[in-house]
Short mmCIF file of all heavy atoms in Angstrom, two decimals:
data_model
loop_
_atom_site.label_atom_id
_atom_site.label_comp_id
_atom_site.label_asym_id
_atom_site.label_seq_id
_atom_site.Cartn_x
_atom_site.Cartn_y
_atom_site.Cartn_z
N LEU B 36 30.02 32.70 12.62
CA LEU B 36 28.93 33.49 12.11
C LEU B 36 28.83 33.46 10.61
O LEU B 36 27.71 33.49 10.05
CB LEU B 36 29.11 34.89 12.53
CG LEU B 36 28.61 35.25 14.00
CD1 LEU B 36 28.92 36.65 14.31
CD2 LEU B 36 27.12 34.96 14.15
N GLN B 38 29.49 31.01 8.73
CA GLN B 38 28.97 29.73 8.12
C GLN B 38 27.55 29.68 8.07
O GLN B 38 26.85 30.26 8.96
CB GLN B 38 29.50 28.58 9.03
CG GLN B 38 30.97 28.32 8.71
CD GLN B 38 31.45 27.33 9.73
OE1 GLN B 38 31.00 27.20 10.87
NE2 GLN B 38 32.55 26.66 9.42
N ALA B 365 14.02 10.25 6.36
CA ALA B 365 14.96 9.12 6.81
C ALA B 365 14.13 8.00 7.47
O ALA B 365 14.27 6.87 7.10
CB ALA B 365 15.99 9.71 7.79
#
Side-chain angles (χ1 to χ4, degrees):
Chain B
L36 277 177
Q38 281 171 337

